[in-house]
Amino acid sequence: MLCKAANRVINRNEPTFLEETCSRILSFCNSNSLKQGISVHSPVIKLGLHHHLYLNNNLLSLYAKCFGVNKARHFFDEMPHKDVVSWTGILSAYVKNGNHDTALRVFDSMLISGESPNEFTLSSVLRSCSSMGEFDYGTCIQGYVIKEGFDQNPVLISGLIDFYSKFGLVTEASNLFITKGNHDTVTWTMMISSCVLAQRWVQALQLYVDMVKAGVAPNEFTFVKLLGACSVHGLNYGKLVHAHILLKGVKLNVVLKTALVNMYSRFRRMEDAIKVSNSTPEYDIMLWTALISGFAQNSMFRKAASAFRAMGVSGIIPNNYMFSSILNISSLMLSLALGQQVHSRVVVTGLEGDVSVGNALINMYLKCSDNVEDALRVFRGISLPNVISWTSLIAGFAEHGLQLDSFHLFMEMREAGVEPNSFTVSSIIRSFGAAKLLPQTLMLHGHVVKTSLYEDIAVQNALVDFYAESGMLNDAWQIVDMMNRRDAITYTTLASRMNQMGHHELALHIITDMKNDDIKIDEFSTASFLSASADLGTIMTGKQLHCHSVKSGLCKWFSVLNGLVNLYGKCGCIHDAQRAFGEIGMPDNFSWNGLISGLTSNGYIPSALSTFDDMKLSGVKPDAITFLSILSACSIGKLTDLGLEHFQSMRVMYNIEPQLDHYVHLVDILGQGGRLEEAMEVIQTMPFTANTSIYKTLLRACKAHRNIPLAEHTAKQGLELDPSDPAFYILLTNLYQDAGRHDLAKRALTVMKEKQLRKNTSHSRMEIRDKVHVFVAGERSHPRTNEIYEQIEFFEAEFKKHGYLFQGIGHSYYHSEKLAVVFGLLNTPSKATIYVIKNSSICRDCHDFMKFVTQLIDREIIVREGNRLHSFRKGECSCRG
């Protein structure tokens, strides 16, 4: 149509009319960015108007807008005459294209040509200076502005405010704003924008108030900047700004709608975000992106996918950023089908070679598919993969258990000339820790030593984690000692790995290291220290950590509250465990498992089973750990039928395959119920190779029911697995003695002696005033041994005086748990609970001793043996034994 109009113009052959018509067509096309307007260029040449400066400047602008800066530059170079508009047009084209270095060179050429810049030229130059970090150049421009009398020009005042704010000099920008009066909307908006950029939120809002008082009308861009400040001040401020937009009658264009959608999305008000987006029919790619990102931020992934489909129906073509966003959503949803649909759209749009889209596709396939070949195929299709492409692929292969392949990809990456970053290296090292690939890690360690990555804390922390996980604590500490800067992750990693290895005391010593390095204990390190305290049974240390978490505001974190539930449950303070559990807003599996385990180990079997029902009613699905506690509860409570029912429900109702530990509990349940033959059948038919633990479990059941033949068979099976385990001989000996077969007991002890097997030393420990005291059976090394023994004799005399039926066996006189309990009674306040941890089972004599002690004096005694606790109070034990 424009071509036909141009032909009609030529046919009329009236010079003035021709110039005016070409000028109008170009102005219209420039205003609407219509590339068809370029067809006027040919008539302009044919009519001899190529010297017409106004037409040429319009053509230059149209080339820049519709055909890019390179085409515009080619036209500019061919222009026979140039004025300030021409130079400013090409310069601003480079600035908009992000080519600031060339923009500044064009400005230099303009000055050399003798053309004087105007306020728009200088404004564009200031933008390039701020983008290039050319502060000195920018201050020279300011000097020129003052010299040429432009210092009151609102365009340049706005430009200088933006310039100073980009360099973080908000005070200078503010001083400039204050000293220059009569500001327009653009200048006020620029100053507000500077405060938002510098995170001076209060000042930004105050400026808006001052702007309104000054009678300057805000525009849509003013409100866009204000909505950025509301992200910190809260939803109410955002609503107030929205109300002002409506009150001032500002047109709700797509830019403003996008800002409002972002604001409401940030505060999880997606209903309001949708209402804003639908308030006018105009949509663009940025508004759709804001809406879809809002759904994703609020974990509304299905709605995000629906919005993406609606965008496609509306006819708006997604860009690379949009494709990357929706592919990341597919990864979070673990939806391979959605990811594949998006992939097909990417191919149709022609963006399959785009690096950012390719990276998102690699991530999606590695997260959603078991087949890594799809991700590899996408990777090979990227023309110039960057470090993110390589890192995504390498980390993904490692997550799929293909550590060696990921290592080979790392070597290929280096050969391709792409330098790995800290995330690349740390991802590989962490995956190697799980796979125990020491030689490959040593090679990687050697590589990073030769590069600047060795100074990167993420890489150093990954190496610390690898060596600690591999049991090489000395090597881990060597890296920690040479680190220039350590953080909470460094020490939390060490504490976590030490806990896994059972070095709980060493884990707690890390608190001192963190304090010496002036590193705050965060929620993750607190959880690790609480775990160490729970496993050590150092209740006072645990309570100190609890106090610290309350003072520092860490008690709101799931990991800390779950750690407290675990601590108090393992230390016999079940009411404190329940109180900590009650503070968790939405308990997860760890929360419920911790509480159920604590109730079970403390002997509250009905409460444990009731809590299991509550867990299911709350909608939290039980996992394998949950069933370990439930099966243990059924075993302790001698609930054979219920235990069998729960074991069967694992596979049938919850699709959980029982593991070896579950079968150990099943054998214990059957053994407690006297169904010994069934228990042996379980061992013979289970889909796992039996270990010594399951045979010892059955052997204890045989002892309880005095089944000598099955006990001997079970002991034989266990000793074939581990001939050096003395527990089988000890259990058999005790069974023979209980059954009156002292000859067999003597023979078992003789065989044990011939094989030079000795019973593991029994010891007990307790914490008093932050110091752990250890007692060993039969030893008299403790400085207060005589006092302890005198107290034991006093108690036994009192038992006889009160008529208690205490049978006191001679050798139990020196048992470690008895020594620890009496020491606690002598050294703690009269109402304090005595808490003792023993590394083996408590004997019957010591069990009765503690029952009678609590009948004599009003004290609670808690003894922990493994995962089970005995809580003695008023002559009764929680085990009801």
Side-chain angles (χ1 to χ4, degrees):
M1 182 174 133
L2 286 169
C3 292
K4 289 179 180 178
N7 288 329
R8 286 198 296 271
V9 167
I10 294 170
N11 293 335
R12 296 235 359 213
N13 200 23
E14 297 174 13
T16 306
F17 177 77
L18 296 175
E19 289 177 23
E20 186 179 341
T21 305
C22 289
S23 176
R24 286 181 177 178
I25 292 171
L26 286 172
S27 295
F28 175 77
C29 292
N30 251 319
S31 300
N32 295 278
S33 297
L34 297 174
K35 63 182 180 180
Q36 293 91 336
I38 214 68
S39 60
V40 175
H41 191 178
S42 177
V44 165
I45 295 170
K46 290 178 181 179
L47 294 168
L49 299 175
H50 53 282
H51 291 281
H52 197 291
L53 192 56
Y54 180 78
L55 290 176
N56 281 342
N57 284 341
N58 269 289
L59 280 168
L60 176 65
S61 177
L62 196 59
Y63 270 116
K65 284 181 181 177
C66 301
F67 296 93
V69 70
N70 292 330
K71 294 278 187 183
R73 180 59 187 264
H74 183 73
F75 179 79
F76 174 82
D77 290 339
E78 291 184 347
M79 288 172 64
H81 305 292
K82 303 177 182 71
D83 63 359
V84 65
V85 177
S86 317
W87 285 101
T88 303
I90 191 63
L91 193 150
S92 64
Y94 278 117
V95 172
K96 288 174 184 175
N97 194 55
N99 200 336
H100 300 288
D101 186 44
T102 307
L104 293 179
R105 287 202 299 271
V106 167
F107 180 65
D108 291 338
S109 300
M110 177 184 181
L111 296 177
I112 292 167
S113 74
E115 192 68 57
S116 297
N118 61 16
E119 64 268 35
F120 302 106
T121 321
L122 296 170
S123 178
S124 293
V125 173
L126 284 170
R127 282 179 61 191
S128 288
C129 289
S130 59
S131 296
M132 293 282 292
E134 292 282 356
F135 183 75
D136 292 340
Y137 199 140
T139 53
C140 288
I141 297 297
Q142 185 180 11
Y144 181 87
V145 166
I146 296 168
K147 180 182 175 183
E148 296 299 321
F150 285 125
D151 53 319
Q152 295 296 326
N153 187 285
V155 173
L156 287 171
I157 292 171
S158 299
L160 285 166
I161 289 170
D162 181 56
F163 169 76
Y164 279 114
S165 65
K166 291 284 176 61
F167 283 97
L169 303 171
V170 184
T171 303
E172 286 76 359
S174 185
N175 290 338
L176 183 67
F177 178 80
I178 292 167
T179 56
K180 309 297 180 183
N182 300 320
H183 300 300
D184 62 2
T185 301
V186 176
T187 313
W188 278 101
T189 301
M190 189 60 71
M191 194 62 231
I192 290 169
S193 174
S194 298
C195 291
V196 171
L197 186 68
Q199 298 185 359
R200 297 187 178 185
W201 319 112
V202 175
Q203 190 177 345
L205 292 171
Q206 185 58 51
L207 276 167
Y208 171 70
V209 173
D210 295 340
M211 178 183 183
V212 173
K213 286 180 180 177
V216 180
N219 62 14
E220 64 269 27
F221 298 104
T222 315
F223 287 114
V224 166
K225 299 302 180 184
L226 283 172
L227 287 167
C230 295
S231 63
V232 171
H233 280 289
L235 178 63
N236 288 335
Y237 281 92
K239 285 183 172 181
L240 190 62
V241 172
H242 192 178
H244 271 249
I245 293 169
L246 301 174
L247 186 67
K248 298 290 182 182
V250 175
K251 183 184 177 184
L252 209 61
N253 61 14
V254 287
V255 175
L256 194 48
K257 284 205 300 183
T258 301
L260 283 165
V261 166
N262 280 326
M263 185 273 293
Y264 281 121
S265 300
R266 195 174 292 116
F267 294 109
R268 308 183 71 84
R269 297 291 294 266
M270 287 311 298
E271 300 86 356
D272 294 317
I274 294 166
K275 196 180 295 181
V276 167
S277 66
N278 291 333
S279 59
T280 64
E282 291 83 10
Y283 269 80
D284 67 357
I285 187 67
M286 297 306 294
L287 179 54
W288 278 112
T289 301
L291 192 59
I292 291 169
S293 297
F295 284 130
Q297 289 166 18
N298 290 280
S299 302
M300 302 166 75
F301 302 126
R302 297 194 181 280
K303 288 191 176 182
S306 298
F308 177 74
R309 295 187 185 99
M311 184 186 77
V313 172
S314 72
I316 293 177
I317 299 172
N319 57 16
N320 55 352
Y321 181 79
M322 172 58 78
F323 277 126
S324 300
S325 297
I326 196 68
L327 284 166
N328 288 333
I329 290 167
S330 304
S331 302
L332 292 169
M333 290 175 67
L334 298 178
S335 174
L336 179 61
L338 175 61
Q340 288 173 330
Q341 289 172 24
V342 176
H343 192 177
S344 65
R345 290 282 302 277
V346 167
V347 173
V348 170
T349 313
L351 288 173
E352 65 269 30
D354 184 88
V355 177
S356 61
V357 176
N359 293 346
L361 280 167
I362 290 168
N363 183 55
M364 183 276 295
Y365 278 119
L366 288 169
K367 290 276 175 65
C368 302
S369 173
D370 294 330
N371 185 6
V372 296
E373 293 300 321
D374 294 322
L376 191 59
R377 195 176 300 112
V378 171
F379 176 80
R380 299 301 182 197
I382 301 173
S383 53
L384 289 171
N386 60 14
V387 65
I388 298 172
S389 318
W390 283 100
T391 302
S392 298
L393 192 68
I394 289 167
F397 268 63
E399 286 172 10
H400 278 262
L402 303 170
Q403 282 84 6
L404 289 175
D405 290 302
S406 71
F407 182 71
H408 293 146
L409 283 167
F410 173 77
M411 302 304 290
E412 186 183 337
M413 175 186 185
R414 292 183 60 201
E415 289 172 8
V418 179
E419 280 300 313
N421 59 21
S422 60
F423 185 75
T424 318
V425 176
S426 58
S427 295
I428 301 174
I429 292 172
R430 290 188 190 281
S431 72
F432 283 0
K436 311 294 183 192
L437 298 178
L438 180 60
Q440 287 79 7
T441 306
L442 292 174
M443 287 178 66
L444 267 178
H445 193 165
H447 165 73
V448 297
V449 166
K450 299 173 186 176
T451 68
S452 60
L453 289 174
Y454 199 49
E455 298 298 318
D456 188 279
I457 194 168
V459 174
Q460 292 169 333
N461 284 340
L463 285 166
V464 169
D465 186 41
F466 173 83
Y467 289 120
E469 186 180 7
S470 303
M472 303 164 68
L473 280 178
N474 290 336
D475 297 89
W477 274 113
Q478 279 183 7
I479 294 171
V480 173
D481 291 338
M482 56 75 57
M483 291 170 71
N484 293 327
R485 182 175 66 88
R486 294 170 281 274
D487 60 9
I489 297 172
T490 312
Y491 287 117
T492 303
T493 296
L494 274 172
S496 177
R497 296 304 183 192
M498 287 174 178
N499 278 336
Q500 290 172 9
M501 289 185 280
H503 300 318
H504 306 299
E505 289 186 56
L506 289 176
L508 289 177
H509 287 159
I510 287 176
I511 297 174
T512 305
D513 295 312
M514 292 183 77
K515 189 175 180 181
N516 292 338
D517 274 355
D518 198 25
I519 295 171
K520 288 185 179 180
I521 297 175
D522 62 11
E523 64 273 17
F524 301 108
S525 51
T526 301
S528 292
F529 297 140
L530 285 170
S531 177
S533 298
D535 288 329
L536 270 178
T538 51
I539 185 65
M540 292 312 299
T541 304
K543 285 184 175 181
Q544 288 169 10
L545 285 164
H546 189 175
C547 289
H548 168 78
S549 67
V550 171
K551 290 178 182 176
S552 56
L554 297 174
C555 254
K556 63 184 178 182
W557 290 93
F558 260 37
S559 56
V560 174
L561 288 169
N562 287 341
L564 289 170
V565 172
N566 179 50
L567 167 78
Y568 289 124
K570 284 185 175 179
C571 292
C573 308
I574 197 63
H575 298 299
D576 292 317
Q578 288 172 318
R579 193 176 297 114
F581 179 85
E583 292 177 16
I584 303 172
M586 294 181 66
D588 59 6
N589 281 87
F590 293 103
S591 317
W592 287 104
N593 290 346
L595 184 60
I596 293 169
S597 175
L599 289 164
T600 299
S601 60
N602 282 275
Y604 295 94
I605 305 306
S607 296
L609 296 172
S610 174
T611 303
F612 177 59
D613 290 334
D614 293 339
M615 176 186 186
K616 291 184 289 184
L617 287 171
S618 73
V620 178
K621 186 180 176 183
D623 58 16
I625 305 298
T626 317
F627 278 102
L628 284 176
S629 295
I630 291 303
L631 293 174
S632 177
C634 293
S635 173
I636 294 169
K638 296 181 171 58
L639 304 170
T640 306
D641 292 335
L642 185 61
L644 291 171
E645 185 181 318
H646 282 305
F647 185 86
Q648 294 299 329
S649 72
M650 287 178 65
R651 189 183 287 110
V652 176
M653 294 180 63
Y654 301 102
N655 199 29
I656 300 172
E657 281 298 322
Q659 299 302 305
L660 182 57
D661 286 345
H662 297 101
Y663 281 98
V664 172
H665 282 296
L666 179 60
V667 167
D668 196 25
I669 289 167
L670 291 168
Q672 292 282 356
R675 295 158 69 167
L676 302 177
E677 299 298 334
E678 290 180 57
M680 176 54 81
E681 188 180 348
V682 166
I683 296 175
Q684 292 169 344
T685 58
M686 67 181 183
F688 300 99
T689 302
N691 60 6
T692 56
S693 176
I694 201 165
Y695 282 123
K696 280 186 273 191
T697 300
L698 180 56
L699 187 53
R700 290 189 192 96
C702 292
K703 174 183 175 295
H705 295 281
R706 299 190 181 182
N707 189 327
I708 293 177
L710 185 57
E712 291 174 337
H713 174 73
T714 302
K716 181 183 176 184
Q717 297 289 320
L719 287 167
E720 286 178 0
L721 292 175
D722 186 3
S724 63
D725 190 341
F728 291 103
Y729 293 103
I730 293 166
L731 286 167
L732 272 177
T733 300
N734 292 337
L735 169 58
Y736 291 144
Q737 287 174 342
D738 290 347
R741 297 297 305 273
H742 300 290
D743 54 329
L744 294 177
K746 186 177 180 180
R747 190 173 71 183
L749 288 172
T750 302
V751 173
M752 183 176 166
K753 189 175 181 180
E754 288 172 353
K755 293 189 175 184
Q756 297 182 337
L757 300 178
R758 298 183 65 181
K759 181 182 178 182
N760 293 329
T761 304
S762 173
H763 67 262
S764 300
R765 50 192 170 82
M766 71 172 305
E767 180 189 23
I768 296 179
R769 290 182 284 276
D770 297 332
K771 184 178 179 181
V772 176
H773 297 263
V774 179
F775 298 88
V776 179
E779 283 193 7
R780 301 181 64 93
S781 58
H782 197 278
R784 300 187 66 179
T785 297
N786 291 336
E787 191 179 352
I788 293 169
Y789 278 43
E790 287 173 7
Q791 189 66 33
I792 292 173
E793 290 173 2
F794 168 77
F795 277 129
E796 293 193 352
E798 287 295 307
F799 296 162
K800 290 177 183 176
K801 189 185 296 183
H802 286 78
Y804 300 155
L805 300 174
F806 181 68
Q807 297 298 322
I809 303 169
H811 62 80
S812 71
Y813 195 78
Y814 309 102
H815 282 185
S816 61
E817 63 267 41
K818 190 181 292 185
L819 300 175
V821 165
V822 172
F823 176 76
L825 291 169
L826 291 170
N827 292 278
T828 56
S830 59
K831 296 294 182 182
T833 300
I834 307 297
Y835 187 82
V836 174
I837 295 181
K838 191 181 181 194
N839 68 336
S840 59
S841 299
I842 184 172
C843 76
R844 169 54 57 186
D845 178 60
C846 291
H847 191 274
D848 290 343
F849 177 86
M850 289 165 204
K851 282 171 62 176
F852 292 141
V853 165
T854 58
Q855 201 162 344
L856 279 176
I857 57 176
D858 185 20
R859 297 288 287 271
E860 182 182 12
I861 298 172
I862 297 173
V863 179
R864 188 170 101 192
E865 47 171 31
N867 292 323
R868 189 173 179 183
L869 287 97
H870 295 268
S871 177
F872 300 93
R873 179 179 285 181
K874 295 181 179 179
E876 297 292 334
C877 178
S878 58
C879 73
R880 296 173 182 81

